[in-house]
Amino acid sequence: MRDAFGRSENEYSRLVAKTNNKMLNQLWEKKKIPEEAWTDHSLELFLAWLASHDTNNRMDMNPLGAGEREGRVKSAFVRRLHCNLSHGIGRSGNLCEIQPKALGSSMLNCLANEFALHSLHTLGLTCARGALVVPVATGMALMLCMGSWRKARPNAKYVVWLRVDQKSCFKSILTAGYEPLVVDPIRVGDALVTDIERLNALVEEKGEEILCVLSTTSAFAPRAPDDIEAIAAICRTHDIFHLVNNAYGLQSTECIRRLNNAKNSGRMDAFVQSLDKNFQVPVGGAIIATTKQSQAASIAQFYPGRASCVPSRDFVLTCLSQGIRSLLEGFEDQHRLFEKMRRKLRAFADEIGENVYDVPDNKISLAMTLSTIPPEKQTLFGSILFSRGITGARVVMSTTKVSRVENYEFLNFGSHTNEQHGGYLAMACGVGMIDGELDELFTRLSSTYLRFIHKVTHSAKAHSTSFDVDRDEFSETDKD
Ligand SMILES: *Cc1c(COP(=O)(O)O)cnc(C)c1O
């Protein structure tokens, strides 16, 4: 058979090698998300190429590891799962230092950070100067920012937290070793917005002892994004750090607009976003973006130890598998679908005599009143929605109960405010949702609601109907 391979076949083979090399080298030279999507075949080639740079995969000689951490992986399955990349990222407690034994993993880490900045810029976040992909979720990433700032404000013991009822961002303050000073939002129209006056008074009073203000852009309606422009101005006047929790805010043009304005109008040091909520990768990573390049480096320096490269890897592969164009299209689809969700929810609310909260600045989440369901039945309604396969939509009841998060007490936790209300249903349109899912959501929501109302109004002893089965089988709210 060998005689059948002639000059043209050999030439073609050289072309294949050249093309593959060109593709990989260009990526490494540019360090930008390519315009066009890569095929799965190219992704495999890319990973094999990276792994070849790690010393334990050397082919020019037999590698001999004489250290305590040599990238050995016992299980062949686990090795395959990680595509022979086993060294992780970082070195002796600096996430951005190159690990000589693991050049491939270090290159992957570098690409992840570059892609993160590229994607933020492409989404319009011109205020970002540095970006760091960290192998921890949003709450822990917020903690890393605060921890890295400690030495800059040695007298600080407080972090001002603009209340948003989500436990991980609150706990990030405690984990960083600071005491939270809570500022509740105030009601303007239907929306819960930042109490700038109260924040100002607090900062005036305790300025020196405050490390930073922790604000939030993306939150469940009726909470609006914080007024980070005004907060940034206060932080600049008082020379304190400003950290923004932008957990799923990359999807919202309003969050992006505010972030850019905040940098121009005052001080904003860093904003943190979840990798999974924004880029559809498995949970485990976040992007810390900074408005000064040197800030990202100092947070990387603060990180204790080496880290998993899995979140960086999944993010890089996800960017390559889409290309910058369809990455953007995914976000544009969210903008369109959110408007559709709002139209549909308003139509549904009209039909059943409810109202959709008017929170124009929240372009991800919606809330609808539940006045037609007696308060004592609202939780049950939430658990039935869950049992019908609707996850993420949650019923928020008003409560005078006190909830504890560590040693801190909150009234009406879940509502972002102590203020009592009539109960509502909140839902979000996250990037990745598709038209069919949205249609099905409203079909199920509508049929479940009508059946529920029928039982509640037509059964004198509604509490003993078959709905109780649901209550036992399913948890009441999504605790996410
Ligand atoms: C998701 C989210 C967080 C962070 O949660 P992690 O599990 O740490 O990623 C923080 N705040 C808000 C508002 C969120 O939605």
Side-chain angles (χ1 to χ4, degrees), residues 267-322:
R267 179 166 180 174
M268 178 180 66
D269 298 274
F271 53 100
V272 176
Q273 35 273 308
S274 160
L275 275 185
D276 60 277
K277 288 179 187 171
N278 294 290
F279 293 97
Q280 299 174 73
V281 293
V283 172
I287 298 175
I288 299 176
T290 58
T291 49
K292 285 199 193 105
Q293 206 176 6
S294 59
Q295 272 290 349
S298 86
I299 295 165
Q301 167 76 55
F302 175 74
Y303 192 96
R306 241 191 277 178
S308 168
C309 78
V310 168
S312 303
R313 179 200 67 194
D314 292 349
F315 173 61
V316 167
L317 292 177
T318 301
C319 291
L320 290 174
S321 75
Q322 295 176 94

Side-chain angles (χ1 to χ4, degrees), residues 137-140 142 164 166 168-169 216 218-219 245 247-248 274 276-277 480:
T138 319
M140 286 294 280
L142 292 168
V164 54
Q166 204 280 346
S168 32
C169 60
T216 298
S218 59
N245 172 10
Y248 46 99
S274 160
D276 60 277
K277 288 179 187 171
D480 203 352

Side-chain angles (χ1 to χ4, degrees), residues 217-399:
T217 45
S218 59
F220 261 84
R223 193 176 181 301
D226 274 319
D227 185 354
I228 55 174
E229 293 108 312
I231 298 164
I234 294 173
C235 288
R236 177 155 71 187
T237 306
H238 293 270
D239 205 21
I240 57 181
F241 286 96
H242 181 196
L243 176 60
V244 182
N245 172 10
N246 188 42
Y248 46 99
L250 294 184
Q251 305 169 48
S252 157
T253 49
E254 178 60 22
C255 297
I256 289 172
R257 193 186 68 78
R258 287 186 186 214
L259 285 163
N260 285 331
N261 286 351
K263 166 145 190 238
N264 295 332
S265 67
R267 179 166 180 174
M268 178 180 66
D269 298 274
F271 53 100
V272 176
Q273 35 273 308
S274 160
L275 275 185
D276 60 277
K277 288 179 187 171
N278 294 290
F279 293 97
Q280 299 174 73
V281 293
V283 172
I287 298 175
I288 299 176
T290 58
T291 49
K292 285 199 193 105
Q293 206 176 6
S294 59
Q295 272 290 349
S298 86
I299 295 165
Q301 167 76 55
F302 175 74
Y303 192 96
R306 241 191 277 178
S308 168
C309 78
V310 168
S312 303
R313 179 200 67 194
D314 292 349
F315 173 61
V316 167
L317 292 177
T318 301
C319 291
L320 290 174
S321 75
Q322 295 176 94
I324 199 75
R325 187 140 21 111
S326 43
L327 187 69
L328 268 186
E329 274 167 17
F331 286 96
E332 280 156 14
D333 282 346
Q334 189 278 343
H335 306 157
R336 180 180 62 78
L337 272 175
F338 173 74
E339 296 300 330
K340 179 171 168 182
M341 181 185 259
R342 182 155 58 187
R343 273 197 309 277
K344 279 185 162 272
L345 190 63
R346 281 184 179 152
F348 176 61
D350 262 356
E351 202 178 291
I352 63 172
E354 298 287 0
N355 282 302
V356 176
Y357 281 75
D358 190 23
V359 191
D361 291 337
N362 193 327
K363 294 179 186 295
I364 302 168
S365 160
L366 293 162
M368 178 188 79
T369 55
L370 288 178
S371 61
T372 51
I373 300 178
E376 70 280 6
K377 293 268 181 277
Q378 290 177 355
T379 318
L380 181 58
F381 180 62
S383 65
I384 291 167
L385 287 179
F386 188 84
S387 76
R388 300 284 184 271
I390 301 175
T391 56
R394 59 198 84 174
V395 168
V396 179
M397 275 196 2
S398 208
T399 167

Side-chain angles (χ1 to χ4, degrees), residues 182-195:
V182 182
V183 175
D184 274 31
I186 47 172
R187 183 86 63 182
V188 172
D190 284 347
L192 289 167
V193 305
T194 318
D195 188 346

Side-chain angles (χ1 to χ4, degrees), residues 95-201:
L95 265 189
C96 285
E97 210 169 310
I98 293 170
Q99 169 62 242
K101 271 191 284 206
L103 203 56
S105 305
S106 305
M107 288 161 81
L108 180 61
N109 187 21
C110 173
L111 284 176
N113 294 337
E114 295 293 329
F115 280 17
L117 195 57
H118 184 201
S119 58
L120 295 178
H121 286 165
T122 308
L123 286 166
L125 279 156
T126 48
C127 59
R129 289 283 181 277
L132 185 67
V133 173
V134 287
V136 289
T138 319
M140 286 294 280
L142 292 168
M143 184 281 288
L144 286 175
C145 296
M146 290 183 265
S148 78
W149 296 338
R150 185 185 311 279
K151 54 186 180 297
R153 290 184 69 76
N155 297 328
K157 54 180 188 201
Y158 301 113
V159 167
V160 180
W161 185 63
L162 301 169
R163 178 172 170 183
V164 54
D165 288 355
Q166 204 280 346
K167 286 181 192 168
S168 32
C169 60
F170 180 73
K171 289 176 76 173
S172 71
I173 300 169
L174 307 176
T175 311
Y178 290 94
E179 204 178 305
L181 298 172
V182 182
V183 175
D184 274 31
I186 47 172
R187 183 86 63 182
V188 172
D190 284 347
L192 289 167
V193 305
T194 318
D195 188 346
I196 289 293
E197 218 169 285
R198 172 90 189 94
L199 173 67
N200 213 359

